[in-house]
Amino acid sequence: FQWNLWQNNSVMACAKHWLAYGFPQSGRDYAPVDISPRTLFEVCLPPFKACVDAGVMTFMSAFNDLNGVPASGHPDMLRKYLQETWKFQGFVVSDWKSVEQLVAQGVAEDGRAAARIAFNAGVDMDMIDGLYNRYLGELVAAGQVDEKSIDEAVTRILRVKYSLGLFDDPYKYLDAERERTTLHAPKIVDAALD
């Protein structure tokens, strides 16, 4: 594993939104996506594959569904392509409450089912809705989520945090002096305003 982003001016990239987020019906946000396999494989997937090849560390699963399967609950696209076929080493984070969105999309009857579906599909980290915190323990106890899969997801997340140097200095990005003298230096602010 060769990521090293320990410098305090490093940036971690997140490829988003996985997958086909830019192809919604009628151009509406969160709308379903219905595209051919050819468009998927020749247009949608190549830029994401380039991200993997360039060493991107995270992917963000989308709100939309892809040909009837929600992106945050799509094991073929999350597990098969990212992890198995492309050997993606980073982690997948849900979009803002996209795990909970699985209920609205009609594939999960409640938050517990949404957590099970998303995690088993390949979403490693649940952003903001708290469903993983609330339900993954009991889903493991019930045999609906494999504990080994939890360990693997945690390993992916911790590997990225290590690559950022967060175990060495968890507050390295919170340097008030650097922010004042470097990030908000007058020449930088002036250039941004220009």
Side-chain angles (χ1 to χ4, degrees):
F1 216 76
Q2 300 190 5
W3 297 331
N4 184 350
L5 299 171
W6 286 30
Q7 299 79 17
N8 69 352
N9 65 347
S10 61
V11 176
M12 183 180 74
C14 180
K16 58 187 214 175
H17 293 88
W18 179 263
L19 184 63
Y21 191 73
F23 291 77
Q25 293 177 3
S26 303
R28 295 177 302 199
D29 207 12
Y30 311 148
V33 173
D34 189 9
I35 59 175
S36 70
R38 181 175 180 171
T39 300
L40 178 66
F41 286 94
E42 291 182 6
V43 178
C44 294
L45 290 175
F48 285 109
K49 178 66 165 86
C51 291
V52 172
D53 293 345
V56 73
M57 299 172 85
T58 63
F59 270 74
M60 180 177 284
S61 63
F63 281 105
N64 62 280
D65 68 65
L66 173 63
N67 298 332
V69 180
S72 293
H74 204 310
D76 284 344
M77 299 315 300
L78 290 165
R79 294 261 186 233
K80 181 179 177 185
Y81 280 93
L82 284 181
Q83 292 177 348
E84 294 172 18
T85 303
W86 291 353
K87 307 299 184 212
F88 174 60
Q89 296 291 308
F91 68 87
V92 175
V93 59
S94 70
D95 201 344
W96 187 274
K97 294 189 173 188
S98 70
V99 173
E100 185 176 76
Q101 177 74 16
L102 296 174
V103 176
Q105 289 171 300
V107 297
E109 64 184 330
D110 55 22
R112 185 179 189 278
R116 176 184 49 78
I117 291 166
F119 186 82
N120 287 338
V123 176
D124 299 306
M125 181 184 288
D126 177 20
M127 188 197 316
I128 210 63
D129 59 38
L131 296 179
Y132 281 13
N133 291 350
R134 195 171 310 135
Y135 296 115
L136 283 183
E138 68 182 62
L139 288 165
V140 168
Q144 295 179 332
V145 168
D146 181 28
E147 187 172 356
K148 182 180 179 215
S149 296
I150 299 275
D151 292 342
E152 291 167 354
V154 169
T155 298
R156 286 189 288 275
I157 293 165
L158 292 178
R159 184 184 302 130
V160 170
K161 288 183 176 190
Y162 175 80
S163 297
L164 290 167
L166 295 178
F167 294 113
D168 222 32
D169 181 3
Y171 302 105
K172 74 178 188 172
Y173 295 107
L174 304 174
D175 183 338
E177 177 65 18
R178 179 176 176 269
E179 186 173 322
R180 186 180 59 73
T181 60
T182 303
L183 301 177
H184 291 157
K187 69 179 184 178
I188 291 175
V189 172
D190 291 344
L193 291 172
D194 185 48

